[in-house]
Amino acid sequence: MARVLFDHVVKRYGEVRALKDFSLEITDKEFLVLVGPSGCGKSTALRLLAGLEPASEGDILIGERRVNDVPAKDRDIAMVFQSYALYPHMTVAGNIAFGLKLRKLPKDEINRRVKQAAETLGVEQLMERKPGQLSGGQRQRIALARAIVREPAVFLLDEPLSNLDAKLRVNTRAEISKLHKRLGTTFVYVTHDQTEAMTMADRIAVMNAGEIHQVGSPQELYDRPKNVFVAGFIGSPAMNFFKARVDSADGAMDLKGNTFTMRVPRDRAPELQSYIGREMLFGVRPENIHDAQFTPTGINAVPLDVGVEVTELMGNEVFLHVEAGETKLLARVDPRTEAQAGKPTQLAVDLERMHLFDPDSEQALATVGAAAAVA
Amino acid sequence: MATAEAPATTANAPTTNTGRLARAVSRGPLHVLIIAVCLAWMIPTLGLFVSSFREGSDIATSGWWTALSSPSTLNLENYRQVLFTQGMARSFLNSLIIAVPATLLTILVAALAAYAFSWIEFRGREALFLLVVALLVVPLQLTLIPVLRMYATVGLTGTFTGMWIAHVAYGLPFAVFLLRNFFIALPKDLLESAFLEGASHFTAFWRIVVPLSVPALAALGIFQFLWVWNDLLIALVYLGGSATVAPMTVTISNLVNSFGGAWQLLTAAAFISVTLPLLIFFALQRYFVEGILAGAVKG
Amino acid sequence: MAPSSKELSAGRPVSGRPDVSASARPGRRLSVAWLYLAPAGLLLGAFLVYPTISTIVLSFTDPLSGQFVGLKNYTYLFTSQQTLTVFRNNLLWLFLFTSATVTLGLLLAVLTNHVRYEAVAKAVIFVPMAVSFTAAAVIWRFMYIYQPATFAQTGVMNALVTALGGDPVAWITNRNVNNFALITSGIWMWTGFALVVVSAGLKGIPSEIIEAARVDGANERQIFWFIILPMLRSVLLVVSVTLIINSLKVFDLVYVMTFGNYDTDVLANRMFKEMFTFGNFGRASAVAVVLLAAILPLALFNLRRFRREQ
């Protein structure tokens, strides 16, 4: 049980900087998810923490100890690899016990811990089998068992769910969350899937190109993304972005696009004061765009006429791919909608929940419920 | 799946897949050990090389390493002698005459058979191939007498033709094994679409399989060439002792028998015989190694 | 010849091999197949299959009269002191040559894996595989030259021995050491083979497994013993079997270095002698058959392994 600190860590491979000035503090017992697209450096950060590769610059601390020069086996960490990395020539029991045997723990202690780990993950039946005989989901559990049996200070998980099929992924997500609560140990989890991040994390660190864009709780990142990248990365389907000019008319604010004009709700109008006359970048999530006919009560939505290109029936809702002039949007609407592809319809946009971004720097200037909460 | 962002973590990393934090074997002794082993490996051949330039009297009285400090004593006399008076030039030619056609023929015959084993369906295919695999280990010695008798009756002893046929035959098990494994791994769709368009097996063979198999054919060619070039037993038995047709291996072994002490000649002769293989090895190492890895069972 | 409609509709290729669909195959398959197989088949039959049977038959005949004599050749073989020496030598080759070469290859594979000039080192050690056994025999006879103690040594081995303060050894003629001397030259030749194959196997071990072991707490030595070595088992087996087969068939090296004299004779050389020096085809055949018998279990082993992999 320990906290983890990355202090201005840089990792270079020749000329390339995989991590640029990476600083992050992970509190004890926290479930922290590093999320980002391929190549963003999240796995690199994890491997540096594990001690599989040395940092080029900066300090890495586990607990109060600086571990830059400490070999992996002495860092008191356990890791679950993307490919599970089970030892193919050992039985399941052998795989789980390996680390303990190396540390020369007494035999009864080893057996006890192995049995416990196996029970926690529900794999007691598989102890004598070899990894080659197991399914992907089973192998993953063994990999987890192998990690927890060591009772480490920090758990590292490198995209453990990417090799599982969709259904299994959903189940295993919950299992891993339960495991974290049960063990009460720090979890550092790497994934490219924002859904995994949102559902499992206490806090999420969104990364891109070797840098952290934002760290915060899932709700924070959802409500108050600091820039376009985070806004577009978190939330599925992704946020809609569109450009519009800020107009002042009759004491109210309008967003003027090529073919539409939307009136800004009164409580958000002051945020746009400084940008009158400028074309700004706006973000609205699909779940905040409704069918005008079936807008939920209590929502003050602004009407928008659009042409419908595609409708996707999801069962509990309908995805409408629409266009308003050159602006393309995705709306998640009530399943009772009468919208059809090829016919125009009217949507209701909940601008109370819109996000304002600087079109050049892509930084957030105003987000839901807070104005200019950006550094 | 190896992560895309960390280039050095895949198993194909240029340095080592056991990680760059491996410090248990400290670097100093490791390098010393490896370099020492490499030097030890080069010494035998080096000794041969250096001695081939020395006078016979020098060789008999001092170690070859002493010549390194006085390079003026080195000359090409031995080579001249061995090439022109002892018939090594002739032997070199003979080795070439034997090896090249044998190699080409082996590739051709083996490719045809391998194709049949891969892409033509016929009853007993698996059993027949199993027989080929079994033949991989048959020792040559087992066949020498009957074949020699056969040759004697047909008049093939002491002829190049006899050598070609024999080498092809003996090289077939490995060749067919190697090529068949390669052919069978070719994309099925390619051949299926060709057959659908009405291609005959012959067309498929020449226009699809062969062009796609160049690396395997090259590997086989090099392997077979070296095998034939370096062979002694088959030449001794089927070719006999006649100096006019003897390949280099035979000539050298004769030299050893008759001139056991004339090391200046032996070393020069031996070195001539290895120049071509060494050249091929250094130039085409990759293919040679691939041949080894693919077969690894050549008896 | 055509697969039944049941087989076709089952969707699986008839012989279990990846194969083109029946409807896409060219016609007259059987005759076409034999056309492709004929040259190889003829050659293999004439040079390997038929002679093997013929030799086996020959081993039961008397060389001079051509009469069937039952096991006379074999009894002679197994009672002759010379043959027992031959068996001993082959066994020596089998165990010593194989184990030393495999071990050396394995060690070098692991060591070179850690250095940047790995490719060069492997090439240097592999070079001897390109030279003929004949040339290697010359090279090593040269290495083993013996000069009486009062003279300067011209052979590398004796130079080393005398430099370390010992007396020169007659490596080739001294019966206590000559077999080991010959085997050493064999090791020199074949270690490269073992090195290359084991090295390929080593690189086939996923790096994540090594990393997992490292995180689990293994040091380099433990990684080698508990992870790498077990995972290399099949590779080491292949190499060992190949080397064992070669040790049983060794001929050129012995022929050129000693012609089998001084108690270094091996089966293949013995057979050659019986055949050409003594002209006793019956006995020569018997030796050849013994050689075959020794190799048979290995052939079966290979076959089993091959079938399992299919």
Side-chain angles (χ1 to χ4, degrees), chain A residues 47 73 81 83 85-89 98-99 102-103 146 150, chain C residues 208-209 211-218 222 226-227 230-231:
Chain A
R47 292 172 62 83
K73 58 190 178 86
F81 292 83
S83 66
L86 297 178
Y87 309 121
H89 56 285
F98 187 62
L102 287 175
R103 274 152 229 266
R146 185 173 65 178
R150 299 245 323 280
Chain C
E208 283 202 335
I209 293 193
E211 287 174 348
R214 212 164 257 138
V215 169
D216 258 346
Q222 288 166 323
F226 295 120
I227 310 290
M231 289 186 76

Side-chain angles (χ1 to χ4, degrees), chain A residues 265-280:
Chain A
R266 212 166 308 160
D267 18 336
R268 304 224 46 195
E271 297 162 19
L272 299 174
Q273 267 306 120
S274 5
Y275 308 110
I276 297 181
R278 283 176 60 182
E279 194 178 58
M280 303 299 284

Side-chain angles (χ1 to χ4, degrees), chain C residues 106-134:
Chain C
L106 174 64
L107 234 61
L108 288 170
V110 173
L111 289 177
T112 54
N113 204 25
H114 288 246
V115 296
R116 240 173 312 164
Y117 47 89
E118 173 182 11
V120 177
K122 290 206 311 207
V124 167
I125 299 176
F126 191 68
V127 163
M129 285 227 69
V131 313
S132 62
F133 280 107
T134 316

